[in-house]
Amino acid sequence: MQLDGKVPGGPIESRWERHKFESKLVNPANRRKLTVLVIGTGLAGASASAALGELGYNVLTFCIHDSPRRAHSIAAQGGINAAKNYRNDGDSVYRLFYDTVKGGDYRARESNVYRLAQVSADIIDQCVAQGVPFAREYGGLLDNRSFGGAQVSRTFYARGQTGQQLLIGAYQSMMRQVDAGTVKLFPQREMLDVVMVEGQARGVIMRNLVTGELEKWAGDAVLLATGGYGTVYYLSTNAVNSNVTAAWRAHKRGALFANPCFTQIHPTCIPVSGDHQSKLTLMSESLRNDGRVWVPKDARDPRPPQQIPEPERDYYLERRYPSFGNLVPRDVASRAAKLVCDEGLGVGDTGLAVYLDFADSIGRLGKDVIKQRYGNLFDMYQKITDDNPYQVPMRIFPAVHYTMGGLWVDYNLMSTIPGLHVLGEANFSDHGANRLGASALMQGLADGYFVIPNTLSHYLAGTSLPKVTAEHDAFAEAASNAQGQITRLLTVRGQKTPRELHRQLGRLVWDYVGMSRTAEGLRTALTEIPRLREEFWHNVSVPGEANNMNKNLEYAGRVADYLEFAELLARDALEREESCGGHFREEFQTPDNEAQRDDLQFAHAAAWEFTGVGQAPVRHVEPLQFDYVKPSQRSYK
């Protein structure tokens, strides 16, 4: 299969504007005749629904929750990047582009990243117009803070609630269109299949999570904005409802899955406390602006942290990376924390934690300033741990967070299935092997507000779309397949709950496909995952019925998909014989334990084609060309 990214030619600075001009348009009077199905109502889905509804399309939007305001986008606390250069510290569109390509360890498509940097400023203007309460300086300009992987302040924020405030803005814009009648919102629905008619995505099969009914919905295009797959690890910073099902079912229909091994480990999370947990809690990366990361120099030091004097502390990020210090990118900070803990210097009962200390900042700026910047994050930490971070350092440790891999898309955000577009974290396109902090919100809103309204019109205007209704045989076939899976889950009647089996899978994937990977460990995972999948289908217990609300059934279906997806995750990690970004193969590292890329063999995106459960998938390659940011050994020293 020849992968065509449909990247425009010419100077990178003018590609997007020229591409928009050369794209076909849909006459305003014809838009209301076209139906667009949007799956997901986080930042990408809600912003796309709002933008397309405003343009006059007939938009049907499906939400897995009872309200779009519960989307996982609210968990992105720290901020959103944009190249406004309000601080006059040397920022620019090109510098944001450069930092993003470098931060992703040169494994992203340059044209997509430059477009993202270009539209970043428009996102801020849009959100301010919606009333998003960004922090402001004394003079009235929007304030900025620093984030990892950059030496400028370009991150706009609303205390520690940025994702929540941006989601409210997108939600309000979408609900305005619901009121206007251009958008119809269907809450508590889960997508179980994409319906293909003559090779095009023309509908979806949804399950009503309240009644259990399978619903058939037809349209002219399908937009997936369903987030990432981090909960394959069971314990992650993601919401428990986050899952891979929609993307995986689309993959099984022909959408290639790109770079699944590119998963991000966030360095600033509350450590695991026991087997009772269903998720982990993120402490925003913004805290590394004013918090200093350290461990005791003596592994046997029994003293409370505030009693350990400065000479006996190792501020290891500041020591190893003096240019960036505590603001190195997430993959670098996470591996450094793992390294000191592997050396026996970790703190807490488990030894799997490091200190994030605010004593210096509180002494320099005062408690009130720190409270104004991070108060809700400090409150959340104290409620969870019963420690007061104003008085004692936080304890943090890396955890699974974001996923850079996802369904392969071209420059127009269209997958290898014509008509199936993929937005936000669900696609692979912008972050390479590691996402810089504060860029998730940027990509989700860029895709929804500014990219898809232009690229979708080009597809709709230039494609023959015969009238299709939900009575078409393809819908009956897809619904039958979905019902067959449900029936199969309910008839196993085994002894283990879906949660037990998911926890086993998560431990397996974390141990062998987690913060560091080896060929031996990956081969072990590829042996054990199919065994666990076999056990699932012989021993899972799913009580209840299909024709009503059944949370166990919902969860079991998602775990079944993870047991298939996890094998692809491990296979992709085994095939990529290099270290880059969040993908760290222990066999490929520099003498000072940094990731060592192989640009000669692996300067490409790997896009996998589904051939059947338990069958070897086919690996396709999209070469990555770097004309503007030349690959080099990443250094933050």
Side-chain angles (χ1 to χ4, degrees), residues 468-506:
V468 170
T469 70
E471 305 306 313
H472 193 283
D473 289 347
F475 285 83
E477 180 264 337
S480 177
N481 286 345
Q483 185 61 56
Q485 167 109 330
I486 289 170
T487 301
R488 186 183 178 195
L489 286 168
L490 289 170
T491 54
V492 174
R493 302 190 182 281
Q495 300 300 313
K496 285 190 174 182
T497 66
R499 189 169 298 281
E500 286 179 88
L501 292 158
H502 190 187
R503 188 183 286 112
Q504 284 182 249
L505 175 66

Side-chain angles (χ1 to χ4, degrees), residues 545-600:
E545 301 175 347
N547 60 350
N548 57 25
M549 181 180 285
N550 189 334
K551 303 302 289 185
N552 286 293
L553 178 60
E554 289 174 39
Y555 191 51
R558 296 164 195 167
V559 175
D561 289 329
Y562 270 140
L563 285 162
E564 295 174 6
F565 168 74
E567 190 171 358
L568 182 66
L569 173 65
R571 187 181 297 274
D572 187 49
L574 181 62
E575 291 290 329
R576 188 168 285 274
E577 295 183 330
E578 65 166 353
S579 291
C580 57
H583 168 64
F584 190 75
R585 285 282 297 271
E586 293 182 14
E587 305 96 322
F588 308 103
Q589 55 182 304
T590 65
D592 52 354
N593 305 113
E594 303 294 346
Q596 189 169 54
R597 296 190 323 273
D598 183 349
D599 293 331
L600 188 63

